[in-house]
Structure formats: C-alpha cells, structure tokens
Amino acid sequence: MLRLVLTCLILCTQAGFAQSAEPYMPPLPAETAAKFPAIGRVNSSGFRLQGMCTGTLIMPDVVLTAAHCAPPLRGLAENRMFVAGWDGENYIGARRIIGARRHPKYEPGAHRPDYDVGLLFLARPIEEIEPMRFAEIESAKLGIVGYHIKRPHRLSGRLDCPIVGAASFVVDIACPVISGNSGSPLLQMGETGEWRVVGVVSSRFARGAKAARLPGWIDQILTIHRR
C-alpha cells in the first residue's frame, strides 16, 4: 500500500499541492536566483516544454537529478536538454543530454524515494558555471530551489524549509513541491555562505517534499567519468 501511495504522489503528475496554504514555492528574487546558476531545467525537447524536471550541474558535463527524470535515452533522435540559468528569456548554458544513469536499486514500477537519484551526461561541458559541491546534512533547515509547472520559466524556491522527518536514505522537508520540482537539489548553507547539495527532491507527501540523501553511488560514477 505504501508503494502505491508514493507512486501516486510522484512529482511528474500534474496535481497541485492542495493541503498547503502556499501550494507551490514562489519565484526567487533575481539577486537570489543569481546565486544558483548551476541549477537548470531538464527538458525532453527544446527550451519551453512544460513536461520537465530540475537538475543541478555537479561536473561541467554531469547533471544531478531524480532517477524518474533520467530514463534511458531512446536513441539519437531524442532531443533532451539541460538549460542552466533559464529565466524565460536568457540562459547561461544549454546542452544536449547524451546519456543517463539511475541508481542501480531504483525500480520504476515500485517508486522508492531513497533510490530516486539519477545522473545526466551532457554532450559538451558547460564551462561558464561553477558546479555545485556536496555536503552531509547538518542543519535543521534546508533549501529547495528549482523549476515547476506554475512558474516554468522562473527559478523558484525557499531557503528555510524545516526538516520534519528523516531516515537512513530519505529526508522529509516542510516545503510544498509540485510537478517540475522533481530532481531539485536539497541545499544547505555552509559556514562560508556557500550553498551545497545534500539531497535530491523525489516526491511530495502531505506536509511537503521527500528527498533522497546523496548515495555513495554518485561518487563511484563520477570517479569513473573523470578518467
């Protein structure tokens, strides 16, 4: 039954977040959005497609997102794009996605947020942007920044989301998410003021978002990719 409920709540559905007074996160002020150039839209085709997710540049040619946003490519004819820094008119970098990997324990037919982590590989590096770094969760409040269907051309989010539940591989966050927020980074500010990625938004639940903690699998894949 739990798996059935979670499957119904995956963010790729179009349903709203009805139980919250704020059903989706607001667009960020321009000066705040400018702090997150590595966060972008993951589009199936072109720049303005509504069917989308969010991703984060973690290497010049690798994007972190949710596993359900990273299905295997169907062939060379598929036009899947990552667009960083998109504001409705301009962008910082846009690249074609040429490869995708999902956490090996992710099962599309039995969605589990703890394994909902994927990587996308770009045709060419985006050298204009500093990739975001990782960290372990240490704060009681975290940020979620990404794109969603209500504001598809504006980076939206909140940087004060309380943790309301935690398990070995999943964190529950009290900030509303809807379709498009899938793959958004869960963010934590470090002592020097730098925001780092501590998780990936997977799905929603009654009080907010479920996010997967970063698995060691990512480091393994990135180590191989660097060679």
Side-chain angles (χ1 to χ4, degrees):
M1 178 61 72
L2 177 60
R3 288 185 175 182
L4 177 60
V5 171
L6 289 174
T7 300
C8 292
L9 295 179
I10 296 175
L11 296 178
C12 52
T13 66
Q14 301 293 315
F17 188 78
Q19 296 186 11
S20 172
E22 298 178 353
Y24 47 84
M25 288 184 287
L28 295 172
E31 62 272 19
T32 303
K35 298 177 182 179
F36 304 103
I39 300 174
R41 280 180 43 166
V42 176
N43 298 334
S44 295
S45 180
F47 286 25
R48 296 179 177 274
L49 189 70
Q50 291 294 318
M52 65 186 189
C53 287
T54 299
T56 306
L57 199 69
I58 57 171
M59 284 183 63
D61 61 344
V62 182
V63 172
L64 175 69
T65 190
H68 70 267
C69 298
L73 272 68
R74 295 183 292 271
L76 295 177
E78 183 169 348
N79 186 24
R80 205 182 301 178
M81 300 285 294
F82 173 70
V83 186
W86 174 244
D87 65 3
E89 296 181 356
N90 302 299
Y91 59 91
I92 302 174
R95 297 290 188 272
R96 186 166 174 263
I97 297 167
I98 59 172
R101 293 283 299 271
R102 292 168 159 175
H103 190 289
K105 292 187 178 180
Y106 178 74
E107 301 178 21
H111 178 73
R112 295 180 60 181
D114 46 351
Y115 300 129
D116 195 5
V117 178
L119 298 174
L120 302 171
F121 301 91
L122 307 180
R124 292 183 294 111
I126 301 178
E127 302 289 358
E128 303 90 337
I129 298 173
E130 181 72 23
M132 296 196 75
R133 299 181 181 181
F134 298 153
E136 296 289 335
I137 297 177
E138 297 177 351
S139 175
K141 289 189 177 182
L142 303 171
I144 296 176
V145 174
Y147 294 84
H148 58 67
I149 58 168
K150 295 297 184 180
R151 298 278 187 173
H153 308 303
R154 290 283 304 277
L155 195 63
S156 299
R158 279 180 49 184
L159 302 176
D160 60 348
C161 302
I163 296 176
V164 294
S168 297
F169 302 106
V170 179
V171 182
D172 294 343
I173 308 296
C175 271
V177 291
I178 58 173
S179 180
N181 285 133
S182 290
S184 294
L186 193 61
L187 302 171
Q188 176 177 270
M189 180 183 283
E191 295 181 356
T192 61
E194 178 186 15
W195 287 96
R196 296 199 174 192
V197 181
V198 296
V200 180
V201 172
S202 168
S203 55
R204 67 182 177 214
F205 73 113
R207 294 175 293 167
K210 284 189 173 291
R213 294 176 184 263
L214 300 179
W217 169 81
I218 295 177
D219 291 330
Q220 297 172 13
I221 299 300
L222 295 185
T223 298
I224 295 172
H225 185 69
R226 290 188 184 101
R227 294 174 181 171

